[in-house]
């Protein structure tokens, strides 16, 4: 997936700037999304967490979303436990698509209380999980208790991180080790091999490196990945959109944030959160276009079917009328025959 471990790590690094922010609002616009409103130094921020399996993400956003009048149960649980707490830390483990958000505050008698939000961004296994200070699951957006699942996520049990079967790129010490693991010299196989072997590196990201940056040598790809990952926390990365997905780029200039224009021509600076939010908006705009086209096509089809039905009804009326005329003629001829026989 394009929202891979590198983007996740970059987002977590940016969220560190909100340490100390107070949670003052939480709402759940749909079954896959939770918005957490925070306040820091006179500014309001909205943290968007979406676990849609086909478009999962976490990012700061200014994109307005509806706040349902009746809050879902999970949203009410989050409000009960998190409103008033402050952001203490945002943690990722290597390049896993799992973010731990640590929160801290005071209860009614000024005792310190703490909670954690675990955001799992792993395709169909995406989840938002609320933990208490002992690591026990208070509640989660998706309860997972299948017999076939090795990662059980239900309330009142201790949370355990899911098992990761892929290798950790951060554990690779040099290119020789990397090369021996990939074990191919065919550039057409690089994206599949790297994404299937290492955790948190997506096929689309390697495709971007090869196709858009024209880096086709395996050694250069390894060096590029190393440089990008090392520069995440140093805030020296550029961000771009590739096939409507956020992409992290390495840059060598001092002025690295790239200006971009949205659909209305407004200039925005693409840090990682803005990049993710912008790609989300692009996808929503495309969906709305397809939706309008689909509605228009469906409306045309319905009109055409209605016209066909009217034509069939008209033809049916003509056939019924013709039948009545034929029956009338038949009975007339029958009477004439009867009269002739009588004579």
């Amino acid at each position: 997936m394009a929202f891979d471990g590198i983007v996740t790590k970059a987002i977590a690094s940016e969220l560190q700037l909100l340490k100390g922010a107070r949670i003052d609002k939480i709402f759940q616009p749909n079954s896959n999304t939770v918005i957490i409103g925070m306040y820091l130094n006179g500014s309001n921020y909205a943290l968007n967490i979406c676990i849609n399996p086909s478009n999962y993400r976490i990012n700061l956003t200014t994109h307005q979303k509806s706040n349902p009048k009746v809050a879902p149960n999970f949203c009410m649980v989050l409000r009960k436990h998190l409103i008033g707490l402050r952001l203490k830390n945002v943690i990722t483990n290597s390049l896993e698509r799992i973010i731990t958000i640590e929160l801290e505050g005071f209860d009614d008698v000024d005792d310190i209380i703490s909670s954690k939000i675990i955001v799992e961004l792993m395709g169909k296994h995406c989840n938002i999980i609320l933990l208490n200070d002992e690591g026990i699951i208070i509640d989660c957006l998706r309860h997972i208790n299948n017999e076939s699942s090795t990662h059980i996520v239900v309330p009142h049990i201790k949370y355990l991180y899911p098992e990761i079967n892929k290798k950790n790129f951060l554990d690779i010490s040099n290119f020789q080790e990397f090369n021996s693991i990939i074990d191919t010299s065919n550039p057409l196989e690089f994206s599949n091999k790297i994404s299937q072997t290492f955790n948190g590196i997506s096929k689309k990201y390697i495709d971007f490196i090869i196709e858009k940056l024209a880096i086709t040598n395996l050694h250069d790809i390894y060096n590029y990945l190393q440089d990008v990952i090392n520069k995440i926390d140093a805030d020296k990365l550029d961000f771009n959109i590739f096939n409507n997905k956020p992409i992290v780029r390495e840059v060598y200039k001092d002025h690295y944030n790239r200006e971009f224009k949205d659909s209305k021509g407004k200039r925005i600076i693409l840090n990682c959160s803005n990049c993710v939010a912008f790609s989300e908006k692009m996808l929503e705009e495309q969906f709305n276009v397809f939706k309008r086209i689909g509605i228009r096509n469906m409306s045309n089809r319905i009109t055409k079917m209605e016209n066909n039905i009217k034509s069939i009804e008209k033809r049916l009326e003509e056939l019924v009328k013709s039948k009545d005329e034929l029956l009338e003629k038949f009975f007339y001829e029958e009477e004439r025959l009867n009269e002739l026989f009588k004579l």
Side-chain angles (χ1 to χ4, degrees):
M1 300 300 294
F3 200 111
D4 57 15
I6 296 176
V7 174
T8 303
K9 191 173 180 65
I11 289 286
S13 179
E14 287 182 4
L15 293 179
Q16 296 285 349
L17 300 175
L18 293 182
K19 282 185 178 180
R22 182 182 182 274
I23 296 178
D24 58 5
K25 186 183 299 183
I26 299 174
F27 65 96
Q28 186 177 337
N30 55 57
S31 60
N32 290 320
T33 305
V34 170
I35 305 292
I36 300 178
M38 294 181 285
Y39 179 83
L40 179 67
N41 297 333
S43 298
N44 292 304
Y45 301 88
L47 180 62
N48 173 51
I49 306 174
C50 177
I51 60 170
N52 185 326
S54 62
N55 192 24
Y56 51 82
R57 59 198 174 274
I58 176 172
N59 62 286
L60 294 174
T61 184
T62 56
H63 189 190
Q64 295 288 338
K65 294 193 177 181
S66 60
N67 185 1
K69 292 182 180 179
V70 180
N73 290 336
F74 182 66
C75 181
M76 295 296 290
V77 172
L78 291 178
R79 289 175 179 175
K80 176 183 176 182
H81 291 273
L82 301 183
I83 293 292
L85 299 188
R86 293 185 180 273
L87 181 63
K88 180 183 177 183
N89 205 0
V90 181
I91 303 169
T92 57
N93 181 16
S94 65
L95 295 180
E96 293 179 10
R97 290 170 295 171
I98 301 174
I99 290 182
T100 302
I101 302 174
E102 296 183 344
L103 304 161
E104 194 173 73
F106 298 93
D107 61 13
D108 296 336
V109 293
D110 290 337
D111 288 334
I112 295 177
I113 56 174
S114 61
S115 295
K116 291 180 180 178
I117 302 173
I118 307 292
V119 182
E120 297 180 345
L121 302 171
M122 300 180 294
K124 64 181 181 180
H125 302 295
C126 287
N127 212 340
I128 303 173
I129 306 161
L130 177 64
L131 308 182
N132 64 13
D133 56 356
E134 296 179 350
I136 304 298
I137 298 174
I138 298 174
D139 203 357
C140 48
L141 191 51
R142 291 180 180 164
H143 293 191
I144 302 174
N145 194 20
N146 300 329
E147 293 182 358
S148 59
S149 176
T150 58
H151 184 48
I152 306 299
V153 184
V154 292
H156 313 306
I157 68 170
K158 192 172 183 63
Y159 175 78
L160 298 175
Y161 284 91
E163 295 182 3
I164 306 297
N165 297 322
K166 293 184 179 181
K167 295 182 181 295
N168 182 4
F169 182 81
L170 302 183
D171 292 337
I172 303 300
S173 56
N174 52 55
F175 171 71
Q176 286 71 26
E177 183 180 355
F178 177 79
N179 188 37
S180 64
I181 294 173
I182 297 302
D183 193 27
T184 182
S185 58
N186 184 357
L188 298 177
E189 297 179 356
F190 287 166
S191 57
N192 282 327
K193 274 280 189 176
I194 295 173
S195 61
Q196 292 172 5
T197 303
F198 294 99
N199 181 42
I201 302 176
S202 68
K203 181 180 184 297
K204 285 190 176 182
Y205 188 40
I206 304 301
D207 288 339
F208 172 81
I209 294 173
I210 295 173
E211 295 173 18
K212 296 299 181 180
L213 302 183
I215 301 175
T216 57
N217 181 276
L218 187 60
H219 194 287
D220 293 337
I221 292 174
Y222 169 78
N223 289 334
Y224 186 88
L225 289 172
Q226 285 280 21
D227 289 341
V228 165
I229 294 168
N230 291 337
K231 289 179 180 178
I232 288 177
D233 294 329
D235 197 24
K236 290 184 178 180
L237 292 174
D238 185 23
F239 303 92
N240 208 333
I241 305 292
F242 180 59
N243 290 340
N244 291 332
K245 296 293 184 179
I247 291 292
V248 181
R249 297 179 61 187
E250 179 194 11
V251 293
Y252 299 95
K253 299 178 182 178
D254 293 332
H255 183 68
Y256 48 85
N257 277 334
R258 180 175 182 269
E259 289 188 348
F260 205 82
K261 290 184 178 181
D262 63 14
S263 59
K264 297 181 180 179
K266 182 181 178 182
R267 300 178 77 85
I268 59 175
I269 299 298
L270 286 184
N271 61 15
C272 200
S273 279
N274 284 344
C275 185
V276 174
F278 184 71
S279 66
E280 173 194 2
K281 191 172 182 179
M282 287 173 64
L283 288 171
E284 287 189 3
E285 288 175 353
Q286 288 184 358
F287 173 77
N288 290 333
V289 169
F290 292 144
K291 185 178 178 182
R292 287 195 295 270
I293 293 173
I295 291 173
R296 186 163 61 246
N297 290 341
M298 185 60 69
S299 177
N300 292 337
R301 290 184 64 184
I302 290 173
T303 302
K304 187 175 180 180
M305 291 177 67
E306 288 176 344
N307 292 334
N308 289 338
I309 291 172
K310 288 179 181 178
S311 298
I312 292 171
E313 288 177 344
K314 185 178 179 180
R315 179 60 179 158
L316 184 61
E317 289 177 1
E318 292 174 351
L319 289 172
V320 170
K321 185 178 179 180
S322 177
K323 183 195 75 171
D324 293 339
E325 291 175 350
L326 287 172
L327 285 174
E328 185 178 349
K329 187 175 181 180
F330 171 78
F331 290 133
Y332 173 75
E333 295 294 334
E334 187 179 30
E335 288 179 1
R336 286 190 61 191
L337 286 172
N338 289 334
E339 291 177 356
L340 288 172
F341 280 122
K342 286 179 182 179
L343 294 174

